[in-house]
Amino acid sequence: MEYIISILAGILFATAIYNLLQKQLLRLVIGSLLLSHGAHLFILTMGELKRGSPPILTDGVEEYADPLPQALILTSIVISFGITSLLLVLAYRTANENNTDNMEQLRGNENE
Amino acid sequence: MIFTVLIPLLIACLIPFVSLYKHRIHTGIFVFFVPFTIFIYFIQFIGTGFEPVRHTYNWIPSLGINFDFHLDGLSLLFALLISGIGSLVVLYSIYYLERNERLGHFYVYLLMFMSAMLGIVLSDNVFVLYTFWELTSISSFLLIGYWHFKEKSRYGALKSMMITIFGGLSMFGGFILLTVITGTASIRAMVANADIIMDNPYMPLALGFILIGAFTKSAQFPFHIWLPDAMEAPTPVSAYLHSATMVKAGIYLIARFSPVFSGFEWFFIIVSIAGILTLCWGSYMAVHQTDLKAILAFSTISQLGMIMAMLGFGTEAAIFAAVFHILNHATFKGSLFMVAGAVDHESGTRDIRKLGGLATLMPISATLALFGTFSMAGIPLPFLNGFYSKELFFGSAIDLGEGTSALASFLIEVIPYLAVLGSIFTFVYSMYFVFGTFWGPKKLDELPKKPHEAPAGMLVAPGILVLGVILIGLFPGAINGTFIAHAAEAVNGEAVAKEIYFWHGWDSTAFQMSLAVLGIGAVLTVTRKKWHGVYQILPGRLSANKVYDWLMAKIDIYSGKITNAYMTGSLRHYMIIILSAILIATTGFMIATGGFTMNFQNLASVTIIEMAVVLVIVAAAVATIFINNNVAAILITGITGYGVALLFIIYRAPDLGLTQLVVETISVALFLLCFYHLPNLKKRQESLTSKTTNGLVSIGFGAMVTLIGISAHSSDWFGTISDYFLETSYSLGGGDNVVNVILVDMRGLDTLFEIAVLGIAALAIYTLIKYRSDKGGR
């Protein structure tokens, strides 16, 4: 199963990057969201999958799933959420100010 | 001794305060005492019983870089030239520069240059020498560009900077090589270890680097082009830097290192060829010039070539003659520059075509110029020092010994002829200079000013230099044993007390060569206008200046083109470059090290539910690419998020599942909110090629991630540290939920800053929405 999840992470990365390379501003945000999903799954696979119970201490259970990647992913989810929302608002403001959401038209001036 | 180097720098710091009062007293009067005191200090060392003096001051002892000052005969000769001619130049500049010029700047640069030059000739440490070397380049740049409102000044300053800094850096490379080879930064220690250097395979490289440094600084062919353009500087600067001192720094460098390299035949070949070629080309080109200072500039180039050639010959007599000519050239060339400056100052032009017949109007200047040029031409009169060194030059050119290789033997054959050829042209331009300016028809109506004799103060300095010419000419023996012999000894390694005397007899070959120069030179001078057309053929359109200008322009254009080729301003291009670099580096490394492994043991089982979820996520992710409708794209992105949440739940991560669900819901809501406000929402059509590139890059990247994931999972090097968390979660953290205990207790710092990230994001969003500047900026 780990290999399948690895492939899934790879597919998520590939689609994320394809979106990131698009011209439309919205696609970039979608791409970054997909990228974070891929990364989270990737981290999860680095631990072992489906070994033991959820990491909540219960009497009589000997084996638990690895809690450390879960803690890392939890942190990461929150951070990527913060970034995604910022990106979205930024995209919205950029598009409003410049009246375009085409990345190819959003280039800096010569002297900036 | 260090004080002689530091005093000019210290005084330079005080100049701005003094120059505030320049309208009452000329700043130069204060400055004059600096080089004069140093000159007096150095003059006490002259004497038959001279012994080298050494002082050391720590600078960076851990790297072996210290202010090691060593005064031997050669350094003393240069130190005296620098301080002596420095005093005269300052004296001259007091009368040359008006008080409404920026005198503070001028004297600060000049003193900076003086201390740098003293530093070059006194330091024994190569790195200290390099430091002062670059300081001369910089101060020379500042002085050439002194009248910075003139475009030609700026051009000349930049050109000299580019060329001399290029040479300086190359020389630095040579120094580093020599330091690595010998393990010491001291020049004396390098000379003592010359055999170690000669045996080292990198020796030719070090020699080449050092030679480039010396040739650029001393304006040898083809690096001579900066010197004529440096004539845009005020005349005292040209007299000081570009005839007597800075351009001799390269000569000094060759003389200093010739005990190391002189055993190497290529040293003889390269230095002699460069010197002789420069001598001939410089003197040939000098006749073609119309500007007085340009004539003198090419004359300096050719005289430097002559000294360089003698250093290349490397015989005892040649080195003695070279050292002697360094002194002689400084005296007559300095005086000639000052006279040219006086003519310019009093008549308003330096164009020799407009000048003529000034001898009756400026008799003293004419006399001084006559002595200077005759000495430069090497006319056999017993009171002109130029003749002595020129005859010694001919003598050493004939008597070169045997060459071991064919090239060296050929050179030894042709050098005497080339020496005579160069000297003939030297004679022609010398006569052209003095008679073109001071004799012939008067053309007073062409001059901007009505010429009259320069003020006495302006003539004192060239007068003293001409007096030097005559005194050395009359009593060459007086400075021979006490002074010149010590300088030659420093280059040669052994004492040579060569007799200098005027009359060698009619049958001396050198004297016959001098007579030949005189005869042919006189004929060529008289018929100058008839053969002047030859310049249409030989330099014609060939010129090192054009190469330089072409190079500078092309460097500009091509570096701009290269930068524009990848700095397109398109985010997509940058992203492709970054991603491809990561892709190539990572997969390349993986293939090169055989890092990919695959191991089917210890895997979790596959169930239908999981597979179904995975397939849904894949379908949704792929669909985001192909769906044109934006709302649909947003919703489908949401599906991947919920799918991931499901996977979290399946893989025993309840907290993750919970968070992911909530976050995904809010994200989708935000997306839709944004979508509602976005203008003209159309999917952009991409061209097929960019689609292909995008596809290739993204598929490659995805494949790379998959491969890394598989290999990382297959190679199980060490166990997990999570056992510790599971064991101590309750006993130390007091909680059953291990993930939460890790988040707030064991790794609480992560959580603190993740809260900070959220806070900052919230503040930034608030600012973005609330804070609006008007169109056109605030």
Side-chain angles (χ1 to χ4, degrees):
Chain A
M1 195 65 221
E2 278 88 346
Y3 290 169
I4 292 171
I5 300 294
S6 286
I7 293 166
L8 177 60
I11 290 170
L12 281 173
F13 264 86
T15 50
I17 283 165
Y18 193 87
N19 272 308
L20 283 175
L21 293 174
Q22 301 279 309
K23 282 180 193 158
Q24 205 182 3
L25 206 49
L26 190 70
R27 298 277 163 175
L28 264 71
V29 192
I30 291 177
S32 72
L33 201 67
L34 288 177
L35 196 68
S36 64
H37 290 329
H40 296 157
L41 284 179
F42 192 75
I43 300 174
L44 193 69
T45 334
M46 290 300 104
E48 286 170 330
L49 296 176
K50 289 208 287 186
R51 310 292 198 290
S53 317
I56 295 168
L57 297 179
T58 331
D59 284 338
V61 179
E62 282 302 309
E63 255 199 293
Y64 295 100
D66 196 336
L68 190 56
Q70 296 190 13
L72 295 181
I73 293 168
L74 198 58
T75 311
S76 167
I77 289 175
V78 176
I79 290 174
S80 61
F81 168 64
I83 301 295
T84 309
S85 25
L86 181 61
L87 267 181
L88 267 172
V89 177
L90 195 60
Y92 152 67
R93 290 284 292 131
T94 312
N96 256 356
E97 286 285 309
N98 298 294
N99 283 322
T100 179
D101 64 341
N102 186 350
M103 284 307 291
E104 292 299 304
Q105 287 170 10
L106 289 171
R107 296 193 189 196
N109 294 332
E110 232 5 81
N111 297 322
E112 271 175 344
Chain B
M1 213 183 327
I2 192 173
F3 296 107
T4 59
V5 179
L6 289 186
I7 282 173
L9 276 184
L10 291 175
I11 301 286
C13 298
L14 299 176
I15 291 291
F17 303 105
V18 179
S19 68
L20 288 177
Y21 305 100
K22 67 179 180 185
H23 289 289
R24 263 179 282 166
I25 305 172
H26 198 285
T27 316
I29 294 170
F30 297 101
V31 176
F32 173 74
F33 295 100
V34 179
F36 192 66
T37 319
I38 296 171
F39 183 70
I40 298 292
Y41 170 80
F42 277 118
I43 218 162
Q44 59 161 329
F45 288 103
I46 292 184
T48 38
F50 172 74
E51 285 295 322
V53 187
R54 191 180 178 86
H55 292 299
T56 295
Y57 304 90
N58 279 357
W59 182 17
I60 316 174
S62 55
L63 295 177
I65 300 175
N66 295 315
F67 288 107
D68 299 326
F69 288 119
H70 186 98
L71 182 76
D72 61 4
L74 190 67
S75 306
L76 181 63
L77 168 69
F78 275 93
L80 280 171
L81 279 181
I82 293 158
S83 53
I85 296 187
S87 319
L88 296 175
V89 159
V90 172
L91 192 65
Y92 178 79
S93 67
I94 293 172
Y95 294 91
Y96 185 85
L97 289 175
E98 307 292 336
R99 287 188 193 169
N100 51 16
E101 299 267 13
R102 295 164 307 130
L103 292 177
H105 293 244
F106 181 80
Y107 288 110
V108 166
Y109 304 156
L110 199 72
L111 286 174
M112 206 164 106
F113 171 80
M114 195 179 292
S115 96
M117 204 59 217
L118 285 169
I120 286 183
V121 299
L122 291 175
S123 34
D124 183 38
N125 190 296
V126 285
F127 296 111
V128 176
L129 196 159
Y130 171 72
T131 311
F132 287 121
W133 185 277
E134 293 296 35
L135 193 57
T136 62
S137 298
I138 293 165
S139 47
S140 162
F141 168 78
L142 292 169
L143 283 167
I144 297 169
Y146 179 64
W147 286 316
H148 55 77
F149 42 83
K150 292 201 286 186
E151 208 208 323
K152 285 183 81 181
S153 289
R154 297 199 299 271
Y155 173 78
L158 183 66
K159 193 174 189 179
S160 75
M161 177 93 154
M162 294 298 289
I163 294 177
T164 53
I165 295 276
F166 159 74
L169 285 173
S170 148
M171 181 190 81
F172 188 45
F175 283 169
I176 290 174
L177 269 176
L178 286 184
T179 310
V180 170
I181 291 171
T182 56
T184 170
S186 158
I187 298 173
R188 265 88 200 160
M190 284 173 187
V191 171
N193 290 324
D195 45 342
I196 298 180
I197 298 174
M198 292 310 273
D199 293 339
N200 195 288
Y202 288 108
M203 186 273 291
L205 196 61
L207 175 65
F209 280 158
I210 289 179
L211 285 183
I212 289 177
F215 288 170
T216 50
K217 197 78 162 181
S218 281
Q220 299 295 300
F221 191 86
F223 305 115
H224 64 279
I225 47 171
W226 66 268
L227 191 58
D229 283 312
M231 290 301 128
E232 292 303 319
T235 304
V237 173
S238 312
Y240 189 38
L241 275 70
H242 307 125
S243 76
T245 53
M246 186 176 97
V247 288
K248 295 217 174 81
I251 302 276
Y252 171 81
L253 190 73
I254 298 282
R256 189 46 90 208
F257 279 93
S258 77
V260 178
F261 295 114
S262 55
F264 187 50
E265 192 161 45
W266 281 99
F267 177 79
F268 161 70
I269 293 172
I270 296 173
V271 178
S272 303
I273 288 181
I276 281 286
L277 204 65
T278 313
L279 165 66
C280 294
W281 185 250
S283 54
Y284 173 70
M285 285 303 287
V287 187
H288 184 47
Q289 306 303 315
T290 52
D291 179 359
L292 289 185
K293 281 175 84 177
I295 299 176
L296 292 177
F298 276 103
S299 145
T300 303
I301 290 168
S302 100
Q303 299 277 320
L304 291 169
M306 176 175 150
I307 301 174
M308 193 64 89
M310 287 191 273
L311 287 174
F313 297 166
T315 58
E316 266 184 19
I319 285 172
F320 184 83
V323 172
F324 191 38
H325 196 68
I326 290 171
L327 176 67
N328 294 342
H329 174 247
T331 54
F332 63 68
K333 188 53 63 64
S335 71
L336 285 177
F337 265 111
M338 290 177 189
V339 168
V343 169
D344 182 20
H345 203 263
E346 302 310 329
S347 69
T349 184
R350 298 196 310 248
D351 193 331
I352 199 162
R353 289 168 300 188
K354 293 181 187 167
L355 294 164
L358 292 182
T360 49
L361 297 165
M362 305 177 71
I364 307 176
S365 306
T367 317
L368 295 175
L370 204 61
F371 280 108
T373 45
F374 275 36
S375 178
M376 180 158 75
I379 291 181
L381 289 171
F383 50 85
L384 295 174
N385 58 4
F387 169 68
Y388 294 89
S389 38
K390 182 140 294 178
E391 200 178 37
L392 287 171
F393 168 57
F394 286 146
S396 56
I398 307 162
D399 190 19
L400 274 181
E402 297 285 313
T404 46
S405 67
L407 184 57
S409 311
F410 172 72
L411 262 185
I412 288 168
E413 287 294 313
V414 296
I415 277 175
Y417 297 101
L418 289 174
V420 169
L421 181 72
S423 300
I424 290 170
F425 283 109
T426 306
F427 182 88
V428 175
Y429 74 70
S430 299
M431 296 307 117
Y432 172 52
F433 178 84
V434 69
F435 289 112
T437 313
F438 293 105
W439 276 271
K442 285 183 188 163
K443 305 169 200 163
L444 293 184
D445 44 335
E446 284 186 42
L447 296 177
K449 284 190 199 171
K450 194 170 156 36
H452 53 83
E453 187 55 88
M458 206 186 253
L459 295 173
V460 169
I464 293 174
L465 283 173
V466 166
L467 201 66
V469 169
I470 297 170
L471 284 179
I472 296 171
L474 285 178
F475 312 107
I479 53 159
N480 183 4
T482 53
F483 185 35
I484 303 292
H486 292 304
E489 181 189 345
V491 184
N492 251 344
E494 53 199 81
V496 268
K498 232 180 123 59
E499 281 298 310
I500 312 173
Y501 50 92
F502 176 67
W503 188 245
H504 285 91
W506 291 107
D507 51 348
S508 137
T509 322
F511 187 69
Q512 288 164 2
M513 286 162 85
S514 288
L515 286 183
V517 168
L518 213 59
I520 303 173
V523 173
L524 284 182
T525 308
V526 175
T527 58
R528 189 178 61 81
K529 291 220 169 88
K530 296 212 172 68
W531 55 269
H532 199 261
V534 78
Y535 287 98
Q536 304 294 327
I537 305 163
L538 185 49
R541 272 183 263 159
L542 289 172
S543 139
N545 275 318
K546 286 199 182 128
V547 176
Y548 169 84
D549 289 336
W550 177 85
L551 210 64
M552 297 304 281
K554 290 293 170 191
I555 286 175
D556 236 26
I557 292 170
Y558 282 109
S559 61
K561 274 187 180 168
I562 290 173
T563 310
N564 286 338
Y566 68 91
M567 299 298 288
T568 52
S570 156
L571 200 61
R572 179 174 161 262
H573 289 163
Y574 301 156
M575 203 117 76
I576 286 178
I577 292 172
I578 294 171
L579 293 173
S580 322
I582 297 175
L583 189 61
I584 290 166
T586 315
T587 43
F589 195 73
M590 213 162 167
I591 293 165
T593 55
F596 182 72
T597 49
M598 207 163 169
N599 177 3
F600 283 97
Q601 285 156 4
N602 193 26
L603 289 180
S605 56
V606 180
T607 61
I608 296 171
I609 301 174
E610 288 168 73
M611 278 313 293
V613 174
V614 167
L615 286 178
V616 168
I617 296 176
V618 170
V622 174
T624 55
I625 296 170
F626 294 102
I627 281 189
N628 284 339
N629 188 313
N630 282 296
V631 183
I634 294 166
L635 291 176
I636 282 175
T637 318
I639 290 177
T640 59
Y642 290 121
V644 171
L646 271 179
L647 280 182
F648 285 153
I649 292 164
I650 293 169
Y651 295 131
R652 323 287 200 256
D655 299 292
L656 289 187
L658 203 60
T659 320
Q660 180 69 30
L661 280 175
V662 175
V663 163
E664 199 56 39
T665 312
I666 302 173
S667 296
V668 170
L670 270 174
F671 263 106
L672 289 173
L673 201 64
C674 261
F675 163 75
Y676 182 74
H677 285 287
L678 280 177
N680 51 349
L681 293 165
K682 276 179 288 184
K683 182 166 166 71
R684 312 276 162 189
Q685 280 305 311
E686 305 262 341
S687 70
L688 189 65
T689 42
S690 71
K691 267 185 188 168
T692 323
T693 333
N694 293 356
L696 280 178
V697 171
S698 40
I699 289 170
F701 212 81
M704 180 193 92
V705 169
T706 305
L707 289 184
I708 292 176
I710 290 173
S711 340
H713 197 79
S714 301
S715 34
D716 200 15
W717 289 315
F718 30 75
T720 165
I721 57 165
S722 294
D723 294 339
Y724 173 80
F725 294 131
L726 290 166
E727 277 163 24
T728 57
S729 169
Y730 190 76
S731 55
L732 293 180
D736 286 334
N737 188 330
V738 185
V739 174
N740 289 2
V741 169
I742 291 175
L743 281 175
V744 299
D745 193 332
M746 290 156 170
R747 299 181 56 91
L749 219 51
D750 287 0
T751 314
L752 176 65
F753 289 110
E754 143 197 356
I755 293 167
V757 167
L758 269 193
I760 292 168
L763 279 175
I765 289 169
Y766 180 80
T767 324
L768 271 174
I769 294 172
K770 268 294 186 191
Y771 183 83
R772 292 185 191 210
S773 59
D774 298 333
K775 287 275 181 197
R778 201 159 68 99

